[in-house]
Amino acid sequence: MISNNNPIGFFDSGVGGTSILKEVITLLPSENTIYLSDSKNAPYGQKSKDEIIALCVKNTEFLLAKKCKIIVVACNTATTNAIDFLREKYAIPFIGIEPAIKPAALVTKTKIIGILATKGTLNSSLFEKTSNSISKDITIKETIGKGLVELIEAGKLNSEEINQLLLQYLNPMIESDIDSLVLGCTHYPYLIPQIRKIVGSKIKIIDSGEAVARQTKAILEKNGLIKNDSKNGSHIIYINKDKTALKNLITNKSINVIEKDF
């Protein structure tokens, strides 16, 4: 039986999905959470669909063993490649993450939006379906952020390597006159300070964090799974690689980070 006091589960190919975790904790501070950082297998974006699904099943089984009441797939690549499979296989509610193309399409004035994402996300059928659903007079400039996830996982957020890659990926989009930039990977919000320096103040940067937190709350309410008391929740992150880089990203002292092979 699923209890209201059971934790919300999260998993990602690494530390990036903690950007989603932070938003959920902010909106739902009394909820308990368990986050799975599969950093050993990062990035998912370079893997085949079958490999991604197999990793998602492994992560899901881990979180189900921890009695999670819902699972947030805090990874764009995992969502776009595996969420349908997971929903068919398991009875638990899943919350996925898609690049926020639709919100960007609603606010663009130049009718040109940029998206920075992994190869696995941009090549997925779900991304293609979402892209095709927006107005035909809007142009989407897609760019694969090759190498960014690996550098973030290595704790090199403010490195010259990341800055040079961002310049390489963003300058062509700026020259194409984009006015909205969609961050299509949960790792990328950690790069917003560097991205802002490159794109300036006129280009709107859009990520999915707040929207996912609101959806998580809505699904909990719909299923009658909101925690019964208002005490602050407990928060655990399991990581299957050295936790140093992750600890540098986590400012919430109530989050317990545990290294564990899985």
Side-chain angles (χ1 to χ4, degrees):
M1 290 290 293
I2 296 177
S3 164
N4 293 56
N5 294 330
N6 285 16
I8 301 170
F10 300 76
F11 72 80
D12 182 27
S13 62
V15 303
T18 56
S19 63
I20 303 294
L21 175 68
K22 289 178 180 179
E23 297 287 354
V24 172
I25 292 175
T26 298
L27 185 64
L28 299 164
S30 66
E31 293 289 340
N32 302 314
T33 67
I34 295 178
Y35 179 97
L36 198 60
S37 174
D38 191 19
S39 295
K40 183 172 67 177
N41 291 300
Y44 283 6
Q46 305 299 319
K47 300 183 186 300
S48 70
K49 181 170 183 174
D50 287 344
E51 289 174 313
I52 294 166
I53 289 174
L55 289 168
C56 291
V57 167
K58 177 203 68 169
N59 296 338
T60 297
E61 296 285 351
F62 183 100
L63 292 172
L64 290 178
K66 297 292 182 183
K67 310 296 185 186
C68 291
K69 58 186 177 182
I70 65 171
I71 293 178
V72 179
V73 183
C75 174
N76 293 84
T77 301
T79 296
T80 51
N81 287 275
I83 193 89
D84 290 341
F85 180 90
L86 295 175
R87 285 173 173 157
E88 287 180 10
K89 183 175 175 65
Y90 301 101
I92 193 170
F94 284 88
I95 296 168
I97 298 172
E98 294 181 58
I101 301 172
K102 291 179 180 177
L106 291 173
V107 300
T108 182
K109 298 289 191 273
T110 64
K111 302 297 183 183
I112 305 170
I113 61 179
I115 175 165
L116 186 65
T118 67
K119 179 181 178 181
T121 292
L122 293 177
N123 288 347
S124 69
S125 57
L126 181 56
F127 175 77
E128 181 181 12
K129 181 180 177 181
T130 304
S131 299
N132 289 339
S133 70
I134 68 171
S135 174
K136 299 300 181 185
D137 65 346
I138 294 176
T139 300
I140 302 174
K141 298 291 184 179
E142 303 171 12
T143 299
I144 297 171
K146 187 176 180 180
L148 293 176
V149 169
E150 292 91 330
L151 290 169
I152 295 168
E153 289 287 327
K156 298 181 178 180
L157 275 183
N158 298 303
S159 66
E160 183 58 26
E161 294 168 271
I162 275 197
N163 190 57
Q164 288 302 314
L165 286 178
L166 287 174
L167 285 168
Q168 177 186 332
Y169 300 149
L170 297 174
N171 278 336
M173 288 196 274
I174 296 169
E175 292 168 3
S176 297
D177 200 27
I178 66 166
D179 63 358
S180 299
L181 174 65
V182 177
L183 303 183
C185 172
T186 54
H187 283 73
Y188 297 168
Y190 286 112
L191 301 177
I192 287 177
Q194 296 96 308
I195 291 172
R196 179 57 71 198
K197 289 178 183 178
I198 295 170
V199 304
S201 59
K202 293 182 179 179
I203 293 176
K204 186 175 181 62
I205 300 172
I206 302 173
D207 72 83
S208 304
E210 289 185 19
V212 173
R214 291 193 299 271
Q215 177 68 359
T216 300
K217 182 181 180 182
I219 294 297
L220 288 173
E221 291 174 338
K222 179 181 177 182
N223 289 275
L225 291 173
I226 290 287
K227 189 163 169 269
N228 290 325
D229 61 67
S230 58
K231 295 178 183 177
N232 284 341
S234 65
H235 310 290
I236 302 173
I237 296 178
Y238 292 100
I239 183 168
N240 56 11
K241 204 172 180 180
D242 181 79
K243 63 184 180 183
T244 304
L246 175 60
K247 292 284 283 185
N248 291 333
L249 293 177
I250 301 298
T251 56
N252 187 334
K253 301 303 181 185
S254 69
I255 298 177
N256 184 23
V257 179
I258 300 171
E259 285 184 33
K260 182 180 178 65
D261 191 32
F262 52 84

